């Protein structure tokens, strides 16, 4: 079979022949139909992720660990937990654990949308426990996950949504996904602080989903500091998801003391929560309520696709 192969950590995958995987007890062979190319695959294949040595125990190896396949009876399934040296970026895969994909959903959409949607659905629904009419700020809304977070927040009942980003063209598109206001992060610190304070208005922010962290998070949290001595009037549930703007953020005591700011990770999310969320996401997809800019790329072009850096707001899906 053809596959995307690396011979060492940090190498760019090459399109070449690789031995077909052979099913063992309780396993099935599927034809791979779609695999998402995200930064996670690149980081793991670089050898710099904590899971790199578990996912790549020997070389040569096929990259990727999650995708959409078709069974012998023509059903689409989502799969993961590949056994090295075989991976998902190949024409065939042997799988043991899989999730049936509802009929009528395109393989590329099935590969790309649910993971991104759940990234915001779970913290909004189960960590922040969003209530109808609340104000949500998506810090880093111009990327794929940020755009999806806007849509999910709107579907969960958010009353007002503010998105931030640095790409002027992408910021102009956020209204199409449901954003009520946008904030350009390419401003001086003082101007950005003023923008955050302006958009929070009299009622303030209820929930922040942050894909950036770093300096933008520092300025945003500074905007929560009240102008006078008073007890916090509301909770600000702040959930960092990513760190594209930096791994650290300087948090002062005054940002926490009387602002109502509550910083938290994902918190306790059960398997039942994930299953219910997945079901909801599938329904939204079937109803045409979730949208993503997906570009399909042949597996034969994996080397060029791996090196691309022009993907603002776009998800690459590799088609074997």
């Amino acid at each position: 079979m053809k596959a995307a192969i690396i011979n060492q950590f940090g190498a760019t995958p090459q399109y070449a022949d690789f031995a077909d995987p052979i099913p063992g007890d309780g396993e099935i062979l599927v034809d791979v139909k779609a695999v998402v190319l995200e930064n996670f695959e690149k980081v793991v294949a670089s050898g710099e992720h904590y899971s790199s040595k578990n996912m790549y125990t020997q070389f040569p190896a096929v990259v990727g660990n999650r995708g959409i396949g078709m069974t012998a009876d023509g059903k689409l399934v989502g799969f993961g937990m590949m056994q090295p040296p075989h991976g998902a970026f190949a024409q065939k895969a042997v799988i043991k654990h899989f999730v049936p994909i509802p009929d009528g959903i395109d393989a590329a959409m099935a590969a790309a949308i649910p993971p991104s949607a759940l990234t915001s659905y779970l913290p909004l629904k189960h960590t922040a426990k969003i209530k109808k009419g609340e104000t949500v700020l998506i810090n880093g809304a111009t990327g794929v996950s940020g755009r999806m977070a806007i849509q999910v927040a709107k579907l969960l009942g958010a009353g007002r949504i503010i998105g931030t980003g640095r790409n002027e063209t992408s910021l102009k598109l956020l209204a199409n996904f449901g954003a009520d206001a946008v904030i350009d992060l390419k401003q001086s610190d003082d101007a950005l602080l003023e923008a955050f304070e302006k958009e929070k208005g009299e009622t303030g922010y209820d929930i922040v989903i942050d894909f950036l962290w770093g300096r933008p998070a520092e300025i945003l949290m500074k905007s929560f500091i009240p102008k006078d001595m008073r007890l916090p009037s509301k909770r600000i549930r702040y959930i960092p998801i990513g760190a594209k703007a930096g791994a650290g953020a300087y948090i002062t005591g005054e940002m926490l003391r009387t602002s109502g700011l509550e910083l938290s990770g994902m918190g306790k999310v059960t398997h039942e929560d994930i299953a219910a969320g997945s079901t909801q996401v599938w329904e939204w997809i079937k109803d045409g309520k979730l949208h993503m800019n997906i570009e399909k790329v042949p597996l034969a072009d994996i080397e060029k696709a791996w090196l691309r850096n022009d993907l603002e707001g776009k998800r690459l899906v590799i088609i074997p």
Side-chain angles (χ1 to χ4, degrees), residues 2-315:
K2 293 294 186 180
I5 303 165
I6 56 173
N7 290 295
Q8 63 182 21
F9 283 126
T12 299
Q14 304 296 307
Y15 180 70
D17 292 313
F18 200 82
D20 287 11
I22 300 174
D25 291 341
E27 297 178 326
I28 63 172
L29 182 70
V30 298
D31 293 325
V32 181
K33 294 299 181 182
V35 186
V36 176
L37 176 53
E38 296 184 271
N39 191 56
F40 174 76
E41 279 76 27
K42 299 179 183 181
V43 174
V44 175
S46 74
E48 298 175 359
H49 195 268
Y50 67 85
S51 68
S52 294
K53 292 184 178 179
N54 292 325
M55 293 178 66
Y56 294 96
T57 59
Q58 63 186 84
F59 295 104
V62 179
V63 298
N65 197 49
R66 183 177 64 191
I68 303 296
M70 180 174 286
T71 62
D73 60 357
K75 298 293 186 181
L76 287 180
V77 295
F79 65 86
M81 304 294 289
M82 307 292 294
Q83 291 297 316
H86 290 94
F89 286 67
Q91 292 176 320
K92 298 181 182 297
V94 162
I95 62 175
K96 188 170 186 177
H97 305 287
F98 57 88
V99 177
I101 305 300
D103 293 338
I105 295 180
D106 174 73
M109 293 179 66
I113 293 180
S116 182
L118 287 173
T119 295
S120 51
Y121 177 91
L122 293 172
L124 282 167
K125 178 76 173 181
H126 297 289
T127 309
K129 294 180 171 56
I130 186 171
K131 298 180 180 65
K132 187 175 181 179
E134 289 192 311
T135 297
V136 178
L137 184 141
I138 309 297
N139 201 26
T142 54
V144 171
S145 295
R147 291 181 180 185
M148 188 59 62
I150 291 173
Q151 297 173 71
V152 171
K154 183 68 72 175
L155 288 167
L156 288 175
R160 187 164 184 266
I161 301 173
I162 299 95
T164 78
R166 297 180 60 84
N167 186 298
E168 184 176 352
T169 300
S170 295
L171 281 170
K172 292 178 180 178
L173 297 175
L174 295 187
N176 298 331
F177 295 95
D180 299 289
V182 298
I183 296 175
D184 191 341
L185 298 175
K186 297 195 310 295
Q187 306 181 60
S188 68
D189 287 358
D190 289 341
L192 182 56
L193 176 60
E194 183 178 346
F196 281 135
E197 291 179 337
K198 175 186 175 183
E199 292 301 339
K200 77 178 182 182
E202 294 296 325
T203 58
Y205 304 114
D206 295 290
I207 300 171
V208 176
I209 300 295
D210 191 343
F211 294 99
L212 299 179
W213 202 234
R215 184 61 176 163
E218 293 178 8
I219 299 171
L220 173 55
M221 287 186 283
K222 188 175 181 180
S223 75
F224 302 158
I225 300 171
K227 301 300 183 183
D228 49 32
M229 292 296 295
R230 56 184 172 84
L231 294 174
S233 59
K234 67 189 307 181
R235 299 163 56 217
I236 306 172
R237 291 99 78 196
Y238 195 122
I239 306 169
I241 302 296
K244 291 184 178 179
Y250 183 69
I251 302 172
T252 65
E254 63 180 350
M255 293 177 183
L256 294 165
R257 278 193 293 267
T258 58
S259 68
L261 173 60
E262 297 179 359
L263 273 169
S264 67
M266 184 73 76
K268 184 179 180 181
V269 177
T270 68
H271 290 295
E272 290 76 15
D273 294 335
I274 296 172
S278 297
T279 298
Q280 177 63 82
V281 169
W282 290 128
E283 291 178 2
W284 284 337
I285 293 173
K286 287 191 290 185
D287 292 342
K289 294 180 178 179
L290 293 177
H291 305 279
M292 180 183 287
N293 186 358
I294 295 173
E295 180 180 342
K296 299 178 182 179
V297 177
L299 179 62
D301 294 335
I302 185 61
E303 184 176 358
K304 292 180 180 178
W306 194 268
L307 299 173
R308 286 180 59 177
N309 57 8
D310 60 337
L311 302 176
E312 175 79 17
K314 180 187 295 184
R315 187 70 87 211

